[in-house]
Amino acid sequence: VQLQASGGGLVQAGGSLRLSCAASGRTFSSYDMAWFRQAPGKEREFVAVISESGGSTTYADFVKGRFTISRADTKNTVNLQMNSLKPEDTAVYYCAAGEYFSRYSTNYRHWGQGTQVTVSS
């Protein structure tokens, strides 16, 4: 599966953005889908994951209550709705597809190219 992330941009603190990840290939619905992010000078970190059925989600503590992950298998997309954004959310956001419902990046075989999110104070 090939992934293409979009929707990043510049937003003021407190604002919202919606990231989308479009997948090619018929097997999209069989993958658990996740978002990770990487800020300058920092390691890539887990943000959220949604199971292949869409019935289970897990979030990093620092985004709970602010971000929502969802998927639309008919459109081969996974979305990340980000509300109440903070300057510390500034990072490149990556979507990933894998066969394990996991917060560990090593469990994901397929990665999108990343989309930049910048939150100004």
Side-chain angles (χ1 to χ4, degrees):
V1 62
Q2 293 186 326
L3 306 175
Q4 179 78 30
S6 63
L10 173 64
V11 64
Q12 289 188 332
S16 299
L17 281 174
R18 183 177 177 86
L19 305 184
S20 291
C21 178
S24 62
R26 302 179 192 175
T27 58
F28 173 78
S29 60
S30 67
Y31 286 103
D32 298 306
M33 299 296 299
W35 288 94
F36 290 80
R37 70 185 188 185
Q38 188 166 17
K42 295 188 177 181
E43 294 187 352
R44 190 170 297 188
E45 62 182 356
F46 167 77
V47 175
V49 59
I50 187 166
S51 63
E52 60 180 294
S53 69
S56 296
T57 57
T58 295
Y59 297 90
D61 287 344
F62 55 76
V63 302
K64 282 182 181 177
R66 300 189 298 126
F67 292 9
T68 303
I69 189 171
S70 61
R71 66 189 298 159
D73 288 348
T74 56
K75 297 181 180 179
N76 276 16
T77 60
V78 60
N79 300 307
L80 186 69
Q81 177 66 43
M82 306 188 296
N83 299 327
S84 302
L85 283 161
K86 304 175 182 179
E88 51 263 44
D89 293 319
T90 294
V92 177
Y93 283 71
Y94 299 88
C95 58
E99 290 145 2
Y100 299 96
F101 185 76
S102 170
R103 59 176 63 227
Y104 299 104
S105 61
T106 52
N107 285 331
Y108 293 87
R109 291 194 293 150
H110 308 282
W111 291 84
Q113 85 289 359
T115 185
Q116 176 70 47
V117 171
T118 303
V119 184
S120 63
S121 58

